[in-house]
Amino acid sequence: MSNSLKTYFMKQALLEAYRAMGTTGKNPNVGCVLVKNNFIIARARTSPGGRPHAEENLVSQLSKTELNGSSLFVTLEPCAHKGKNGTSCAELISNSGIKEVFISNYDPDLRTSGKGLEILRKSKIHVFTDFLVNEGHDLNIGYLTNFSSNRPFVTIKFAISLDGKIALKNKNSKWISNELSRNFGHMIRAQSDGILTTNSTIKEDDSMLTCRLNGLEKYSPLKIIVDRGLKLNENYSIFKNTKKENLIIYHCSNDKSKIKKYPKNIDLVYFNNKKNFLNLILNDLANRKIKNLLIESGTTFCSEMIKANLVDQIAFFRSNKIIGNDGLPFVNNLSLKKISDSISMKVIDTKFFDNDIYELRRFN
């Protein structure tokens, strides 16, 4: 099999995995394709909720004859820990007749890390690692960040004018971006595990923080509100028809009278450490297996996160409107003394939505 074909087949596995983005719960989104005689004969991805895994979904489609002598391309090391079916994906592959496995990334989960490959090799399966490793890393960057940094991978989303303003000074911002941009923004919500905002944004917008694309409503992310002083109350729309597992409020107030203003169907989390408040939030979210966190909030909070080096990338939806000094910038004073101190970002992706430009930029 030529290297160009191997690259093509791994890209197909990555594409399958991206189709599961935001749907796999605590598990990584994994994709795989099975190749025989240089043709893809089956493809699969992680199921909604995280189970069954991609490899189990693929193997269950095929007969022993079809599996025998085939090549598997999978985006993440097959798991070595047993699932509800009593076997691991590595064991399932070992007993399937598959002759060789191509893998993009190792799994950092200690239950699997290296162990999955060991099971395959002991079964005399040829194992090839680090295929499109950077692309595989980007695919599961939130999952990998959970393990490496004990926090989610953090993305801020901004709709901005051509000159970088998020609203007029009177807080009017509807609409800076066009409908195509806003729809894609809802797709990003659906692909995120959690969406975070502040009490100030809730007060201004009465936002629901849901995905409002037809058919994707059920993939709305976990709602998270930073409300240090418990300044909200149960009358806001976000508190209606919610469940405790779907909404978290992080605060640092021990005022019992304020706590009583909140409905009981939410998860109120108290941190007494104001200095390390933001880090504690991200650590707690990582412990809850929130892999990709989307922030939709105002200038003050987003600037605080950026200055604390707790943001990994920004998704800009830049419109064709010019607002000038009548507007609010997307970032506040960074206390810079010279240009060499400025924050630089690299372009990861761009898209055009009519006259809007989507720019995904990652911090260097």
Side-chain angles (χ1 to χ4, degrees):
M1 190 185 300
S2 68
N3 285 333
S4 60
L5 267 180
K6 292 173 185 176
T7 298
Y8 170 76
F9 292 139
M10 186 58 80
K11 285 183 176 180
Q12 290 299 303
L14 290 164
L15 179 60
E16 280 298 312
Y18 272 112
R19 287 172 175 157
M21 181 76 76
T23 70
T24 59
K26 297 178 180 180
N27 288 348
N29 43 301
V30 177
C32 56
V33 298
L34 196 71
V35 176
K36 199 167 186 178
N37 299 323
N38 289 343
F39 288 97
I40 293 175
I41 63 170
R43 56 179 72 224
R45 55 185 178 270
T46 309
S47 297
R51 291 280 183 176
H53 288 177
E55 301 93 326
E56 183 179 350
N57 285 334
L58 184 139
V59 171
S60 65
Q61 299 177 36
L62 303 167
S63 67
K64 189 75 173 179
T65 301
E66 291 171 312
L67 289 163
N68 194 45
S70 60
S71 303
L72 176 67
F73 290 78
V74 61
T75 58
L76 193 69
E77 177 184 2
C79 71
H81 53 279
K82 299 182 188 299
K84 292 181 180 179
N85 63 355
T87 188
S88 68
C89 288
E91 291 169 331
L92 193 66
I93 295 166
S94 295
N95 297 323
S96 68
I98 292 171
K99 69 174 182 179
E100 58 185 4
V101 178
F102 297 83
I103 295 166
S104 179
N105 283 130
Y106 291 88
D107 190 340
D109 188 332
L110 294 178
R111 296 174 299 171
T112 289
S113 187
K115 299 182 181 72
L117 301 185
E118 184 180 354
I119 291 170
L120 298 178
R121 288 179 175 131
K122 282 183 177 179
S123 301
K124 308 301 181 185
I125 292 175
H126 298 291
V127 177
F128 305 90
T129 60
D130 299 330
F131 263 79
L132 300 185
V133 64
N134 292 331
E135 291 86 341
H137 183 274
D138 275 354
L139 165 70
N140 273 306
I141 196 165
Y143 176 73
L144 298 172
T145 302
N146 264 196
F147 284 93
S148 65
S149 304
N150 193 31
R151 68 169 179 83
F153 186 79
V154 179
T155 301
I156 293 178
K157 180 173 77 68
F158 285 124
I160 59 174
S161 63
L162 196 59
D163 52 343
K165 303 299 192 293
I166 61 169
L168 295 176
K169 289 180 180 178
N170 64 7
K171 303 296 180 71
N172 181 269
S173 62
K174 294 183 179 179
W175 296 103
I176 287 180
S177 59
N178 64 29
E179 186 176 6
L180 289 172
S181 291
R182 297 197 297 274
N183 285 342
F184 191 74
H186 279 277
M187 176 64 77
I188 294 175
R189 285 186 179 184
Q191 293 179 334
S192 301
D193 304 300
I195 180 170
L196 184 148
T197 192
T198 64
N199 62 291
S200 298
T201 301
I202 295 295
K203 282 184 174 182
E204 290 168 13
D205 300 339
D206 198 19
S207 176
M208 294 287 289
L209 301 182
T210 54
C211 172
R212 295 192 288 277
L213 294 179
N214 289 335
L216 295 182
E217 297 90 345
K218 64 181 178 180
Y219 296 120
S220 293
L222 172 71
K223 303 170 188 176
I224 304 149
I225 303 174
V226 175
D227 187 7
R228 290 177 170 92
L230 292 179
K231 296 179 180 179
L232 298 177
N233 58 59
E234 61 184 4
N235 296 323
Y236 289 96
S237 299
I238 197 168
F239 296 127
K240 296 172 183 176
N241 301 316
T242 192
K243 297 179 181 178
K244 194 167 186 176
E245 62 268 25
N246 294 336
L247 177 58
I248 304 173
I249 306 286
Y250 288 105
H251 69 100
C252 47
S253 172
N254 54 14
D255 188 332
K256 293 183 179 179
S257 64
K258 291 183 177 180
I259 293 174
K260 289 180 180 179
K261 292 181 181 179
Y262 282 81
K264 294 182 179 180
N265 59 340
I266 60 171
D267 190 359
L268 274 172
V269 180
Y270 171 73
F271 289 132
N272 190 34
N273 189 337
K274 294 182 180 180
K275 184 178 180 181
N276 207 31
F277 189 67
L278 297 178
N279 280 297
L280 289 171
I281 290 173
L282 295 183
N283 294 159
D284 185 62
L285 291 174
N287 292 335
R288 296 171 187 255
K289 304 301 180 185
I290 299 300
K291 307 182 293 292
N292 294 292
L293 179 66
L294 180 65
I295 295 179
E296 294 187 20
S297 190
T299 299
T300 300
F301 180 78
C302 290
S303 298
E304 183 181 2
M305 289 289 292
I306 291 170
K307 286 194 278 189
N309 294 317
L310 295 176
V311 180
D312 297 294
Q313 63 184 19
I314 300 179
F316 293 103
F317 291 87
R318 190 184 299 273
S319 76
N320 61 343
K321 300 175 178 68
I322 296 176
I323 293 178
N325 287 335
D326 298 310
L328 299 171
F330 71 86
V331 66
N332 277 336
N333 187 357
L334 297 176
S335 303
L336 303 178
K337 300 296 183 183
K338 51 185 182 292
I339 291 296
S340 59
D341 293 333
S342 61
I343 299 171
S344 60
M345 306 184 75
K346 58 183 178 182
V347 177
I348 302 299
D349 189 21
T350 59
K351 289 178 172 56
F352 284 86
F353 298 114
D354 199 5
N355 286 316
D356 286 6
I357 301 175
Y358 167 74
E359 304 170 29
L360 183 63
R361 290 182 175 267
R362 194 167 293 171
F363 289 95
N364 291 327

